[in-house]
Amino acid sequence: QRQMCIRDSLEIKRYITEALMVNPYIEELSDFQFTSTQSGVEVTFTVRTGYGTDTITMDEEGTVYAI
């Protein structure tokens, strides 16, 4: 397993942003944090919508956890 570099983090952030910002209810994505795991990477970020703010965690398999 190789170490995740800044370029990888930026690419993952870009993919997530492009995928989610097409949703008209999402106003902002922020506070991206990346954690290396044995099987890949875990990403945690904040989503702001007109209904409120949530912290989301995604693992390398695409499983999403709202905190």
Side-chain angles (χ1 to χ4, degrees):
Q1 166 186 337
R2 69 183 183 91
Q3 290 292 327
M4 186 177 66
C5 68
I6 292 173
R7 183 176 176 181
D8 294 335
S9 298
L10 293 173
E11 194 72 3
I12 294 168
K13 179 181 176 182
R14 184 178 68 81
Y15 287 153
I16 292 170
T17 300
E18 287 179 0
L20 295 180
M21 289 307 293
V22 297
N23 184 321
Y25 295 103
I26 296 176
E27 298 171 355
E28 180 182 33
L29 302 174
S30 61
D31 303 325
F32 282 83
Q33 297 176 1
F34 300 87
T35 306
S36 292
T37 65
Q38 279 187 339
S39 56
V41 65
E42 184 177 273
V43 183
T44 301
F45 56 96
T46 302
V47 178
R48 183 171 53 89
T49 70
Y51 300 103
T53 302
D54 284 312
T55 300
I56 305 295
T57 299
M58 292 179 67
D59 66 18
E60 62 283 345
E61 296 174 1
T63 305
V64 176
Y65 307 93
I67 298 174

